[in-house]
Amino acid sequence: MRRSKNETRLDVAALLAHGSLRDATPLYLTPSSGLIESVVLVSQLEAIRQVRPNTVVVLSTDMGSGGWLVSAALRHAWERRASAVVVAGSAYASAAVGLAERLGITLLATDGEPAALALALAAEIGAALSVVDAELARVARTVAKDATLADVLKTISRELDGVGVLLEYDGIVLASAGMPLRETDEVITVEVGGANSALRGTLTARVPNSSVHNLRLVRSILEVVTPAVKAAWLWEELVSTARAVPTAAIAGLDQDPARSGADFEEQYRHLLTQLGWREGEPYVAVWLRSGQVPVHRPELTAVLRLLWRKVTVRSPLAEVQDGWLVLVSAEDQDASAQLETRIRTRLGPALAELGLVAGLSRWQEDTPALAVIVREARLAAQSAWSMGPGTVLGFAGLGVVAATTFVDMDAVGLVAELSLPRLMISPDRDAIITAVAAFLDHRGSVSLAAKSLSLHRNTLQARLNRARELGVPLDIPSELLSVHLIVKVLRRSMPDTTTSEDPLVNQKGLPEFPV
């Protein structure tokens, strides 16, 4: 592309200066020289309706028998975005020149035979296309030498003079090379893989509006390099699958959650060693998952592996039974925190688009068993799902709150309807529920609860007594946890119920229950 982008670009001005149009007389030239990609000799007016954009329309001598035919041809050619219209030297009138100027289409006249000019122009276009074919073959050979997807994209971008080249999946950028994204006039895309392919994506070139590239040639280059892009993607997917076997093995072996991590490592100590896991090396586990019912589309794992490279290329992503698992080496707590930040900033939007969440295990100074951190990451991912797609949640900021992930909130609401019917139909239900929640939030302190609600202590006490009258068991310690859970669930349906002083709602919006 670097050597041929100007050589293969034919336009009206260049051919008038030193090409097959040099003997034609310009009757009207547009301010910008039109690109020429084809030529057609027209003997019937209707034929102009079929021409492609960037075509030189040459009118036969017969077409010049009436001035209205030239005017009609100009209009049709303008509608088809033709590069120029060529007429016989004696077949035009001054009115046609004025019409060409108003329409903004180049009009030329030839004193020779129009058919001869069309043949000469066709030969020149054919010669340029042969240069394009040679250029495409060269680019294909160059790209075929690259083994990795990153190198393939870099080579494509280099051949296009640094134009931004992207591999995308449903609008998500999986890999890129070249200039950063900016406002462009042209976005050229070709499909990578078909509808039945395990790998499907879109190869995109974003050509800046200041570029002089032949856009047709850019598309042709994308089309010839698509097999190389797919081959590199398939190769990296194969390598990643092989590297991910040790990670997948841990999730596959750990089928008994009641067993301790130490027991797991003792039972599989020799196997883990053979798989490459070194005892005492600190890791953070990352678990990606979809909704409550795992959904694995055939190409999703390949997509996630490319996305994961934006976080780290050293730790392979493994597809496991109900999600995807990665074990990342983390020497200290700072490295663990940086990992969570990278996932949130670099993958968060893509995870949201794909309907996925991510959960991370804690970093611990006393290195826990691999099975333990995998379980932590899995629980964190399950808890993250309640906060919506795109959430990245670390178990370190979750702790015992993970237990609420397994609480059926609708069932809790039904329990309230059945066990506390008088409360549920009471006209002052919302005020009573708010009072009870504040009372339990502040560990039974009426004074602190009243202050948090900006109420007088006696007013809050009256509402608590009213709650007891309606059947709320505030004086039975063994039932307080259940009461606390019920009022928290009921408050979800009340407008603007969460206050800044609510200790049971942490910064992530998850309820916390004292034990």
Side-chain angles (χ1 to χ4, degrees):
M1 188 70 179
R2 298 188 303 278
R3 295 192 299 271
S4 63
K5 70 180 180 185
N6 293 321
E7 296 169 9
T8 61
R9 180 186 176 97
L10 300 181
D11 58 59
V12 174
L15 297 189
L16 281 171
H18 46 72
S20 54
L21 297 178
R22 60 184 177 275
D23 294 330
T25 301
L27 302 179
Y28 173 73
L29 294 176
T30 58
S32 59
S33 181
L35 179 67
I36 298 177
E37 295 180 346
S38 60
V39 60
V40 61
L41 179 64
V42 175
S43 59
Q44 294 182 354
L45 189 61
E46 290 297 321
I48 305 179
R49 297 181 184 273
Q50 308 300 322
V51 302
R52 297 179 301 178
N54 302 327
T55 297
V56 174
V57 178
V58 180
L59 303 184
S60 66
T61 304
D62 294 339
M63 284 286 292
S65 59
W68 70 272
L69 282 174
V70 175
S71 297
L74 281 170
R75 290 186 181 277
H76 289 328
W78 169 73
E79 291 173 353
R80 299 300 299 169
R81 294 186 294 163
S83 305
V85 174
V86 182
V87 298
S90 60
Y92 70 92
S94 58
V97 179
L99 179 60
E101 185 174 357
R102 290 196 301 274
L103 293 175
I105 184 169
T106 293
L107 179 61
L108 309 174
T110 176
D111 292 330
E113 177 62 34
L117 183 144
L119 287 173
L121 182 54
E124 195 163 13
I125 294 172
L129 290 177
S130 67
V131 174
V132 171
D133 291 340
E135 177 69 7
L136 293 177
R138 183 192 66 79
V139 172
R141 290 193 300 270
T142 302
V143 173
K145 298 176 183 178
D146 297 318
T148 69
L149 183 59
D151 288 341
V152 168
L153 294 184
K154 288 178 182 177
T155 298
I156 298 171
S157 176
R158 187 168 60 249
E159 291 293 334
L160 296 175
D161 300 328
V163 162
V165 179
L166 315 172
L167 179 61
E168 298 178 286
Y169 175 84
D170 283 351
I172 301 171
V173 177
L174 305 180
S176 63
M179 291 184 294
L181 304 184
R182 57 185 181 181
E183 290 297 325
T184 60
D185 285 340
E186 295 292 339
V187 176
I188 302 174
T189 63
V190 297
E191 295 300 316
V192 177
N196 298 322
S197 174
L199 298 179
R200 292 189 296 111
T202 303
L203 185 62
T204 301
R206 302 196 175 187
V207 184
N209 51 24
S210 59
S211 172
V212 295
H213 286 85
N214 181 331
L215 299 181
R216 188 174 180 182
L217 180 57
V218 172
R219 175 175 292 279
S220 296
I221 287 178
L222 293 185
E223 290 172 348
V224 300
V225 300
T226 294
V229 172
K230 186 175 181 180
W233 191 358
L234 284 168
W235 172 251
E236 291 192 0
E237 172 66 11
L238 179 63
V239 172
S240 297
T241 300
R243 292 181 59 220
V245 168
T247 300
I250 293 176
L253 293 171
D254 187 26
Q255 298 296 319
D256 183 4
R259 180 173 50 182
S260 71
D263 291 341
F264 172 86
E265 291 207 342
E266 178 60 30
Q267 179 177 353
Y268 297 110
R269 180 163 52 88
H270 296 296
L271 177 58
L272 293 176
T273 300
Q274 291 176 348
L275 290 172
W277 299 110
R278 294 187 294 274
E279 184 178 359
E281 186 168 344
Y283 289 94
V284 171
V286 181
W287 194 290
L288 308 179
R289 62 162 292 154
S290 57
Q292 298 299 326
V293 179
V295 178
H296 286 201
R297 296 191 295 273
E299 73 278 8
L300 190 52
T301 297
V303 167
L304 288 175
R305 281 178 174 150
L306 286 185
L307 289 172
W308 182 253
R309 288 177 172 272
K310 298 180 181 182
V311 178
T312 176
V313 298
R314 296 182 178 180
S315 303
L317 180 144
E319 182 178 349
V320 292
Q321 185 174 2
D322 58 349
W324 296 266
L325 175 64
V326 189
L327 292 175
V328 183
S329 179
E331 293 298 330
D332 52 39
Q333 193 167 4
D334 289 341
S336 175
Q338 291 170 6
L339 173 63
E340 183 173 346
T341 300
R342 286 202 307 273
I343 295 174
R344 182 173 290 109
T345 56
R346 300 180 186 181
L347 291 192
L351 293 177
E353 289 286 335
L354 295 171
L356 304 175
V357 297
L360 291 83
S361 65
R362 296 172 293 173
W363 185 89
Q364 302 181 53
E365 187 172 354
D366 297 329
T367 306
L370 291 174
V372 171
I373 64 173
V374 169
R375 294 170 192 172
E376 286 187 356
R378 184 176 182 179
L379 283 174
Q382 288 176 307
S383 297
W385 183 252
S386 65
M387 302 169 65
T391 301
V392 179
L393 182 61
F395 192 86
L398 189 62
V400 296
V401 179
T404 62
T405 301
F406 305 97
V407 175
D408 187 332
M409 299 301 181
D410 293 334
V412 173
L414 180 59
V415 169
E417 293 282 353
L418 298 175
S419 62
L420 300 171
R422 288 187 294 162
L423 171 67
M424 299 304 291
I425 64 174
S426 175
D428 54 352
R429 184 188 72 171
D430 288 355
I432 294 173
I433 290 173
T434 301
V436 171
F439 174 69
L440 296 176
D441 286 349
H442 292 85
R443 302 184 181 184
S445 171
V446 175
S447 298
L448 293 178
K451 182 179 180 181
S452 70
L453 297 176
S454 300
L455 295 175
H456 191 278
R457 186 179 188 282
N458 292 342
T459 301
L460 179 64
Q461 187 64 64
R463 293 181 182 180
L464 296 176
N465 291 336
R466 172 66 174 160
R468 293 183 177 94
E469 293 174 0
L470 295 174
V472 179
L474 292 179
D475 302 316
I476 305 176
S478 61
E479 297 185 7
L480 288 182
L481 178 59
S482 298
V483 172
H484 206 173
L485 177 59
I486 286 174
V487 296
K488 282 297 178 181
V489 171
L490 293 178
R491 291 187 74 197
R492 292 172 54 194
S493 61
M494 296 166 52
D496 194 26
T497 55
T498 301
T499 69
S500 60
E501 296 184 12
D502 189 345
L504 269 76
V505 177
N506 60 21
Q507 293 181 351
K508 296 182 175 61
L510 293 170
E512 295 178 348
F513 300 96
V515 295

